[in-house]
Amino acid sequence: MAGEPQPDCLFCKIVAGEIPATVVRETERTVAFRDISPKAPTHVLVIPKVHYPNAAALAVAEPRIAAELLAEAGEVAADEKIVESGYRLIFNNGAGAGQTIFHAHVHVLGGKPMNENMV
Ligand code: 5GP
Ligand code: ZN
């Protein structure tokens, strides 16, 4: 069924607590945790608990959760105190764009000048 956990998906395993992560925020529908290989002083991933292969697919199937993902990204930025200095939200879509984990996620990056492609 659409949105169901996928057995080979790393982020589904993080949602299930089968793989540890440094969780910074959680709601009923989303989890935010630190990227294992940070590209900036703040590098947090916000994911839906349901499995969709990318953010566009999530938005089509579950628009309210897609909106919550963005709201949570903003809350992460506020918690990390990078709203004023500025932060970047990145959605990689497809391997050719650098997507390596095919479970929807948004990167929240900040804490240094953001003037280059980063992830
Ligand atoms: P993508 O390249 O698919 O947009 O982003 C996937 C991100 O997941 C990468 O930035 C990568 O560093 C991060 N990542 C990969 N494996 C793990 C993991 O086991 N734990 C955490 N916290 N992040 C991971
Ligand atoms: Zn998944």
Side-chain angles (χ1 to χ4, degrees):
M1 218 171 74
E4 290 296 304
Q6 298 300 302
D8 296 331
C9 175
L10 181 70
F11 287 176
C12 283
K13 290 184 175 138
I14 286 178
V15 170
E18 291 164 18
I19 288 179
T22 306
V23 173
V24 296
R25 290 185 66 84
E26 184 167 6
T27 71
E28 231 174 274
R29 291 159 296 275
T30 67
V31 191
F33 53 90
R34 296 201 187 279
D35 196 290
I36 205 166
S37 173
K39 305 294 191 297
T42 290
H43 189 173
V44 170
L45 303 171
V46 189
I47 71 170
K49 290 185 176 176
V50 287
H51 178 97
Y52 287 92
N54 57 53
L58 173 72
V60 169
E62 298 275 9
R64 284 193 297 188
I65 300 180
E68 189 172 337
L69 209 66
L70 287 177
E72 281 297 303
E75 294 294 338
V76 167
D79 292 348
E80 298 280 316
K81 304 193 179 358
I82 55 172
V83 173
E84 216 169 291
S85 54
Y87 61 96
R88 184 172 288 175
L89 302 181
I90 294 179
F91 295 92
N92 291 325
N93 284 272
Q99 187 178 5
T100 57
I101 310 241
F102 292 84
H103 179 127
H105 56 277
V106 57
H107 296 257
V108 182
L109 290 147
K112 72 172 194 182
M114 292 287 134
N115 44 22
E116 53 189 59
N117 292 330
M118 299 183 64
V119 294

